Amino acid sequence: MFELRDDYRSILLNDLPLLDVRAPVEFARGAFPVATNIPLLDDDEREQIGIRYQADGNAAAVALGERLIAGDVRRARMQRWIEFARRNPRGLLYCFRGGQRSEIVQRWLADAGVDYPRVAGGYKALRRFLIEQIDRLAGDAEAIVVGGRTGSGKTDLINRFEEAIDLEGLAHHRGSGFGRRATGQPTQIDFENELAIRWLKLEARGATRAMLEDESRCIGRCCLPEPVWEALRRAPIVLLEEPLTKRVRRIRGDYILGNLSELERIHPGRGFDHFREHLRSSLDRIQKRLGGTRHRELAAEMDAALAEQEKSGDAGRHDVWIERLLVEYYDPMYDYQIESKAARIVSRGDWSTVCGWLAERGHPIRAGERQLVQHGGYR
């Protein structure tokens, strides 16, 4: 009897390796963090079989599949599945609904002497389970939101605490017009799956609360599930208030030095060219809201800073346009938004004040972070 597993919580909490035998196009739309795609059918084969199924029914589609996946093609795929199973003896396999495709792979593996369990209901069942968990967790958990102006270090602060869920980290985006990361963003489904698993793991460690950053509904192209968005909108807010000089320095570190470093790793020898384009396009995306004159002035200051950085390696000149952008654009916009949330603010202050307030109310600081927290987040 072929083994079926439906203990979805245990599978996901324990990061059990998952062999995803769906077609690559399906995997690209959404998967799970520990899944590896080794398909039974490639995209072209899947399309051919789908057309045959529509025209002539299931039996004809299966017969076509047997002809397409035969001989050397089948042997090559079998070898990859067997290698995966041997590397990951605690893993499981699945297809979309846990039906024909995963049954075929499971049977072929068994014929080769490899007994490998299958996820009951497949990808669809795991995905449905995670959606249900997001609804439950966001509805039941006690949330606390850390807010603050751009560059205050909200993400850095929450990541010093054990009960934090870093939404920007999950979205691979820093949450502003300049927030794009060189590594791109996950799909919406991948973002939601990772968020649900992260929250489940938090609960499994005994946490009854979740610390989140004050976010817009969408972080780049990743949008918060409705229950999470509603949790953010009703949660109490701790407001982080840091001096402008620290905020400028933090933005220079994250958005200038951090982004350049990422792009240099991805594009060796061409990193600065990509960085220049990345920065300019970020400014251009908010051109309408800045207005033509201010956009031109900021662009000129940015170009001067880029020229100096490329020539000498000194990024300090970026502080000129960063400070102006904060004071003239981001701060007024955030201050307007926070006015509507004023009744939910339960504490406010600098890094040490906010961290102290949170710690006094039982929010545990991560091991090894206490000294950093006490000194305002700077090593």
Side-chain angles (χ1 to χ4, degrees):
M1 188 70 177
F2 297 131
E3 183 181 357
L4 279 175
R5 295 268 300 271
D6 62 1
D7 53 330
Y8 307 128
R9 181 186 299 275
S10 176
I11 290 169
L12 294 164
L13 284 178
N14 290 292
D15 293 328
L16 297 186
L18 296 171
L19 172 56
D20 187 323
V21 301
R22 296 176 300 157
V25 66
E26 296 172 281
F27 186 82
R29 291 191 197 111
F32 307 104
V34 291
T36 299
N37 185 218
I38 308 177
L40 171 63
L41 304 169
D42 65 24
D43 293 337
D44 181 63
E45 292 159 351
R46 175 174 175 266
E47 183 178 9
Q48 291 182 56
I49 291 171
I51 292 170
R52 182 61 58 86
Y53 176 85
Q54 292 292 329
D56 302 315
N58 186 64
V62 170
L64 175 58
E66 289 175 349
R67 291 196 299 274
L68 291 172
I69 314 303
D72 290 342
V73 172
R74 175 170 168 175
R75 281 189 289 274
R77 291 178 194 178
M78 278 292 299
Q79 183 61 36
R80 294 186 66 198
W81 295 326
I82 290 170
E83 288 173 357
F84 179 91
R86 288 175 176 164
R87 287 195 310 269
N88 302 284
R90 297 175 62 242
L92 305 93
L93 67 90
Y94 66 84
C95 62
F96 183 66
R97 293 186 180 87
Q100 213 165 34
R101 285 181 290 178
S102 55
E103 288 177 358
I104 289 170
V105 174
Q106 189 179 40
R107 186 176 69 250
W108 287 357
L109 283 171
D111 291 343
V114 179
D115 293 323
Y116 215 59
R118 177 163 50 97
V119 177
Y123 166 85
K124 190 174 183 180
L126 283 170
R127 170 74 174 149
R128 183 170 58 246
F129 170 78
L130 288 176
I131 291 172
E132 291 169 354
Q133 297 311 301
I134 278 288
D135 290 348
R136 177 183 67 82
L137 290 164
D140 294 347
E142 176 189 346
I144 184 80
V145 170
V146 176
R149 289 174 167 177
T150 303
S152 298
K154 302 181 292 293
T155 302
D156 200 15
L157 187 146
I158 68 169
N159 279 321
R160 308 304 171 187
F161 288 83
E162 292 183 358
E163 298 174 335
I165 299 176
D166 181 1
L167 297 172
E168 291 186 1
L170 296 177
H172 297 181
H173 195 284
R174 293 192 175 98
S176 71
F178 284 77
R180 289 179 304 151
R181 302 291 294 270
T183 48
Q185 289 194 261
T187 66
Q188 178 67 27
I189 290 173
D190 286 352
F191 170 69
E192 292 174 2
N193 288 346
E194 182 75 50
L195 171 57
I197 293 169
R198 188 70 59 89
W199 210 327
L200 275 172
K201 289 181 175 180
L202 201 63
E203 181 189 51
R205 295 200 301 268
T208 59
R209 301 175 294 187
M211 188 184 299
L212 305 161
E213 183 175 341
D214 193 14
E215 298 287 357
S216 301
R217 175 67 192 274
C218 291
I219 308 171
R221 68 164 183 250
C222 294
C223 295
L224 299 176
E226 184 66 28
V228 178
W229 175 235
E230 288 301 322
L232 282 179
R233 293 176 66 185
R234 65 174 179 264
I237 297 172
V238 181
L239 201 61
L240 179 58
E241 298 174 319
E242 287 284 271
L244 179 61
T245 53
K246 279 191 176 182
R247 293 164 53 217
V248 170
R249 183 172 61 160
R250 186 180 295 277
I251 287 174
R252 180 175 12 112
D254 291 343
Y255 290 72
I256 306 300
L257 301 179
N259 280 345
L260 176 58
S261 179
E262 281 187 358
L263 286 163
E264 285 177 334
R265 286 196 302 271
I266 296 169
H267 306 284
R270 295 288 309 283
F272 200 92
D273 292 337
H274 286 274
F275 170 66
R276 180 188 292 108
E277 174 59 30
H278 171 85
L279 212 54
R280 286 172 170 168
S281 65
S282 296
L283 185 65
D284 289 346
R285 274 197 299 278
I286 58 173
Q287 179 175 355
K288 288 185 179 179
R289 282 178 281 178
L290 287 172
T293 300
R294 185 160 52 186
H295 174 265
R296 285 192 298 273
E297 292 170 353
L298 287 168
E301 291 168 356
M302 179 183 287
D303 286 344
L306 284 164
E308 178 61 33
Q309 185 182 9
E310 187 175 24
K311 176 183 176 182
S312 68
D314 183 2
R317 190 164 178 174
H318 285 285
D319 291 2
V320 176
W321 68 264
I322 291 173
E323 180 173 329
R324 186 175 173 188
L325 193 64
L326 288 177
V327 171
E328 298 181 16
Y329 178 71
Y330 280 110
D331 287 1
M333 185 167 56
Y334 186 81
D335 292 347
Y336 174 79
Q337 293 170 352
I338 203 66
E339 282 183 12
S340 64
K341 308 172 185 177
R344 292 162 48 206
I345 298 174
V346 294
S347 180
R348 63 198 306 163
D350 63 12
W351 181 286
S352 297
T353 301
V354 167
C355 287
W357 187 92
L358 290 166
E360 286 171 4
R361 281 149 187 80
H363 293 274
I365 299 171
R366 293 185 191 275
E369 299 289 356
R370 187 168 299 278
Q371 184 177 5
L372 181 64
V373 164
Q374 291 171 345
H375 289 83
Y378 293 94
R379 297 188 184 276

